[in-house]
Amino acid sequence: MKTILIVEDEETISRVLAVYLKHAGYEVVQAFDGSEGLRSFTELQPDLVLLDVMLPAMDGWEVLKEIREVNSCPVIMLTALGDIDYKLKGLNQGADDYIPKPFIGEEVVARVNAVLRRSTHVLDTESTKQFGSLKINMDSHVVTVNGEKVILTPKDLSLLMFLAERPNRTFTREDLIENVWGMDYDGSDRAVDLSVKRIRQALLDWSSTQGEIRTLRGLGYQFSVYEK
């Protein structure tokens, strides 16, 4: 059972949220000011945080900043402030979603479900690697993002699978040619650059928020996953 931490100083709102989330099958923990919320987060390591912006002791922006320094746990901001600047501030500081008050309980549950589905937490099974919304079945060679199949050439698929099996490790072009194209390859190393470019284009819906194939100047390429 996944645990949701609600950090909200208005007890009525917190209680209503807790009822809806418990009904949806989540375990719920409540905190009523920023400092208490941060302590609860550190102790419990919840699966998602519903975080109000206007909190006593420590406001939501400060709590979000502290969380993001150590963890990529999904955070949804709650606030009565409807200005677009506040929404952008939250998203730019690392929030995963933003729900203005007043809100409907069912909407909050739906947003929680959606954010958890695209969480960057990595799930490995015997044949499948999952990085947030990106799934790579290593047996069937099927790649999906948000449930939609991604079409790749055989060589691009081989390159993606090689890198995804070794996240956050850096490989030179020569390494990739040797391991993906083979030692007998006699073409240009530009093939690696072009393959990476095509993969990035195919994974745009994933790479914008959850990870990327990074170019490390002078070093090579890395399948980089945003850490929890």
Side-chain angles (χ1 to χ4, degrees):
M1 181 182 294
K2 292 187 181 295
T3 300
I4 309 297
L5 172 62
I6 301 172
V7 188
E8 166 63 67
D9 62 318
E10 294 186 49
E11 293 190 23
T12 301
I13 292 176
S14 182
R15 186 166 59 248
V16 169
L17 288 172
V19 168
Y20 275 95
L21 290 166
K22 287 177 181 178
H23 183 73
Y26 294 107
E27 182 177 344
V28 176
V29 177
Q30 294 165 273
F32 298 97
D33 66 52
S35 296
E36 180 188 0
L38 195 56
R39 285 195 302 272
S40 296
F41 176 84
T42 302
E43 293 169 5
L44 299 169
Q45 293 295 296
D47 296 283
L48 182 142
V49 181
L50 285 173
L51 178 61
D52 188 29
V53 171
M54 305 301 290
L55 292 167
M58 186 179 194
D59 71 24
W61 304 127
E62 295 176 271
V63 175
L64 177 62
K65 181 176 182 292
E66 293 287 334
I67 289 174
R68 280 293 169 262
E69 286 181 354
V70 298
N71 200 296
S72 64
C73 170
V75 176
I76 299 177
M77 305 299 291
L78 305 172
T79 180
L81 301 170
D83 195 303
I84 188 64
D85 289 340
Y86 285 98
K87 179 176 182 178
L88 294 175
K89 181 177 180 180
L91 296 176
N92 288 335
Q93 289 189 0
D96 295 87
D97 202 352
Y98 178 102
I99 304 177
K101 300 175 184 177
F103 44 72
I104 300 170
E106 289 89 350
E107 178 191 5
V108 176
V109 171
R111 296 282 193 96
V112 167
N113 292 340
V115 168
L116 285 173
R117 279 197 301 270
R118 64 176 186 259
S119 168
T120 60
H121 299 178
V122 177
L123 170 67
D124 285 336
T125 66
E126 188 170 328
S127 63
T128 301
K129 289 190 175 292
Q130 180 171 346
F131 308 90
S133 62
L134 170 64
K135 284 186 180 181
I136 306 172
N137 189 301
M138 311 303 268
D139 290 340
S140 66
H141 297 178
V142 172
V143 178
T144 61
V145 174
N146 295 318
E148 297 292 324
K149 189 173 181 179
V150 176
I151 305 301
L152 296 167
T153 68
K155 195 58 69 179
D156 292 352
L157 177 59
S158 296
L159 177 58
L160 175 61
M161 290 173 64
F162 176 83
L163 292 170
E165 284 186 315
R166 302 159 182 85
N168 301 317
R169 287 177 55 187
T170 305
F171 297 90
T172 66
R173 289 183 180 86
E174 292 73 21
D175 291 332
L176 297 174
I177 287 173
E178 178 180 341
N179 287 280
V180 179
W181 276 259
M183 287 291 291
D184 58 348
Y185 177 74
D186 60 358
S188 166
D189 62 5
R190 281 284 295 160
V192 177
D193 301 338
L194 294 173
S195 183
V196 168
K197 182 178 180 180
R198 289 191 298 269
I199 295 169
R200 284 172 173 160
Q201 185 65 34
L203 300 183
L204 275 179
D205 289 343
W206 170 76
S207 61
S208 61
T209 58
Q210 300 170 44
E212 61 179 326
I213 298 179
R214 296 178 61 198
T215 301
L216 284 77
R217 190 175 298 276
L219 296 174
Y221 291 107
Q222 179 187 104
F223 184 89
S224 180
V225 180
Y226 300 159
E227 297 292 335
K228 178 178 177 180

